[in-house]
Amino acid sequence: MNKVKKIPLSIKVPVFSAIFLSLVLLFVTLFENLPKSAGVPLQCQVKYSGPIKVGDQKMGLLTHLYINPDGQYMIAGLTENKDGWLIGKMGFAEDAQPYWDLNARHASSLKNSGAGEFQLAGTNKDWAFIRSNLGQIVAVNLNKSKALEKSNLGLCTGNWSEDVRIQRVNRDNVVFANAKGQIGFYDLRRLSDYVPKGVGRSPDTLMVVDPDSSLSVGQCNQLAENRHARLRVDDGLMGFSSGISGTLSLYSVAVDKFKLDPLPLSPLKDGLADFVVSKENVFGVKVSGWLDRTEQWKLYKLSDLANNRADAPFIMTAEPLAFRGDYSLEESKKVNGYWVAERYKSYYFFDKFLLTHVTAEGTKQSYEIDDPFLRNSLAHQQMWVVLPGQRHLLAANTKDGAGYSVIECK
């Protein structure tokens, strides 16, 4: 009987090593970290970070963070035990580290509803929307040194579901939209003072996206649904698609009243799987398929598409989460470019993030973000202020209270 000779160890080791390295190379090739659209990214550096304290008081839930028309950095939120409001203004030390002076503190009636937990459901400049563990969503207006608690905003006789997206469409109107394609419009000027155990205020106008990408009025006694619908809103812009017909309706919205003016768009060759709009003159369309590990998007200048430019230039990005204009104290002042926060999949499973600067000429530079706090801020709450010198202030609420980081991307 012939004996089978064992393979010598001197042969086994190189062979197994070669197989292992080949598998590693294959894995990296198939599941590479960065999307191609990122090019060669640089790294954002964390300059400062820590808990947010207004004066010497730690903030429990940050609700407002924005630059007001006078160029002042405003901040507001609930105290640590959520029974009062802290209102302040942000300043900068000589080394550009931010600090917050306390302007006012006053009581909150949110806990009088019987709720014990609160989270930020949405925020835009001087208005924020706070959800309680009872399902209420309370509108809060920051007016000088006072946080004014307004109506509990509901859907007919109930509450909005947790998947609701809240967007402010102009100075006086806010839009709520859920995964069922149901859309509620509220006139912020008509909100009354908060009644802790009162009935929720139903939308001033309730609508749903029809199959032909038009809006029809909804009725509380027979709420229609369209789970394929897409609604995208930013200050002064509103677009919606049924998700069925492949058509899109896009409108500019007047600043001081809810008046919609159609915006024409040149035909899009890539279809309309999903889209985004931004007041930074951006229209984006998703071009990747459901099998792609990372979403791929084309971002155009909205003005190019509105002017029917068939050759409109575009840039490629991963999934766009939020947009911010270049630093300017005057909101009406024309800026040169914008920043976009992107999310992509690392090794198919892990969310990672980029900040990308796009110039007016259409060139771009991406920056990697590795700090976990910053990832949480961009993915969920998007409290993000662009500072001078290519610095960014990002804030977020965590189980330990409100915190911030200042990063430098250059």
Side-chain angles (χ1 to χ4, degrees), residues 109-293:
S109 59
L110 293 178
K111 277 193 168 182
N112 295 343
S113 65
E117 298 177 9
F118 303 93
Q119 63 182 14
L120 185 64
T123 183
N124 187 305
K125 299 178 185 174
D126 57 336
W127 282 92
F129 304 88
I130 300 174
R131 181 193 293 276
S132 76
N133 59 304
L134 301 179
Q136 288 187 344
I137 297 179
V138 180
V140 181
N141 177 230
L142 184 59
N143 189 340
K144 296 181 180 179
S145 293
K146 186 78 172 176
L148 304 175
E149 297 167 356
K150 293 295 185 178
S151 304
N152 163 30
L153 305 180
L155 176 60
C156 298
T157 57
N159 296 319
W160 286 93
S161 55
E162 290 192 4
D163 59 26
V164 68
R165 299 176 65 172
I166 303 173
Q167 298 287 341
R168 193 169 171 183
V169 69
N170 65 3
R171 186 184 65 193
D172 299 320
N173 291 273
V174 66
V175 181
F176 282 44
N178 62 18
K180 297 179 180 179
Q182 296 157 350
I183 304 168
F185 297 88
Y186 298 91
D187 187 333
L188 297 170
R189 296 167 299 182
R190 299 176 61 184
L191 302 186
S192 56
D193 291 338
Y194 175 56
V195 179
K197 295 188 178 181
V199 178
R201 179 188 179 93
S202 198
D204 298 308
T205 305
L206 181 61
M207 310 195 87
V208 67
V209 182
D210 287 336
D212 62 351
S213 294
S214 62
L215 291 178
S216 63
V217 177
Q219 302 293 333
C220 282
N221 58 0
Q222 191 176 3
L223 275 176
E225 296 183 8
N226 181 359
R227 294 180 178 272
H228 301 286
R230 300 283 187 272
L231 174 75
R232 302 293 179 256
V233 175
D234 200 7
D235 289 347
L237 291 169
M238 185 171 73
F240 46 88
S241 169
S242 67
I244 300 170
S245 65
T247 58
L248 167 73
S249 297
L250 183 64
Y251 297 89
S252 64
V253 186
V255 174
D256 56 349
K257 56 186 175 181
F258 195 64
K259 180 177 179 296
L260 304 181
D261 292 319
L263 281 176
L265 283 181
S266 55
L268 297 170
K269 300 176 182 178
D270 300 295
L272 201 63
D274 201 354
F275 69 98
V276 293
V277 294
S278 169
K279 65 179 181 180
E280 307 306 333
N281 192 28
V282 179
F283 181 89
V285 60
K286 181 181 174 182
V287 295
S288 54
W290 66 276
L291 286 176
D292 292 309
R293 67 179 182 280

Side-chain angles (χ1 to χ4, degrees), residues 271-376:
L272 201 63
D274 201 354
F275 69 98
V276 293
V277 294
S278 169
K279 65 179 181 180
E280 307 306 333
N281 192 28
V282 179
F283 181 89
V285 60
K286 181 181 174 182
V287 295
S288 54
W290 66 276
L291 286 176
D292 292 309
R293 67 179 182 280
T294 285
E295 291 187 9
Q296 300 172 52
W297 287 70
K298 287 183 178 180
L299 301 186
Y300 297 88
K301 286 185 178 180
L302 180 56
S303 55
D304 284 345
L305 296 181
N307 292 328
N308 202 27
R309 281 193 59 181
D311 60 341
F314 59 86
I315 63 166
M316 296 293 299
T317 70
E319 179 190 3
L321 297 177
F323 298 87
R324 295 291 186 273
D326 278 340
Y327 171 76
S328 173
L329 278 178
E330 300 177 35
E331 188 172 329
S332 59
K333 184 178 178 181
K334 185 177 180 181
V335 295
N336 294 323
Y338 65 89
W339 292 84
V340 54
E342 304 177 48
R343 174 167 53 194
Y344 66 94
K345 289 292 184 183
S346 171
Y347 301 121
Y348 248 110
F349 301 106
F350 308 107
D351 285 342
K352 298 199 72 174
F353 298 86
L354 299 167
L355 278 186
T356 296
H357 183 249
V358 182
T359 66
E361 295 73 30
T363 61
K364 70 186 183 80
Q365 175 63 58
S366 295
Y367 300 85
E368 287 188 279
I369 294 177
D370 290 329
D371 184 77
F373 175 83
L374 298 175
R375 295 201 297 267
N376 178 48

Side-chain angles (χ1 to χ4, degrees), residues 44 65-68 71-74 90 92 96 98 278-280 322-331 335-341 355-358 367 369 377-378 382-395 405-410:
C44 288
L65 180 67
Y66 68 102
I67 303 176
N68 71 12
Q72 297 172 323
Y73 292 81
M74 303 301 298
M90 184 171 72
F92 296 91
S278 169
K279 65 179 181 180
E280 307 306 333
F323 298 87
R324 295 291 186 273
D326 278 340
Y327 171 76
S328 173
L329 278 178
E330 300 177 35
E331 188 172 329
V335 295
N336 294 323
Y338 65 89
W339 292 84
V340 54
L355 278 186
T356 296
H357 183 249
V358 182
Y367 300 85
I369 294 177
S377 173
L378 290 175
Q382 297 175 2
M383 286 186 281
W384 167 23
V385 177
V386 179
L387 302 176
Q390 290 190 281
R391 291 191 176 193
H392 304 260
L393 171 68
L394 295 110
S405 283
V406 172
I407 60 174
E408 185 176 76
C409 304
K410 64 181 182 180

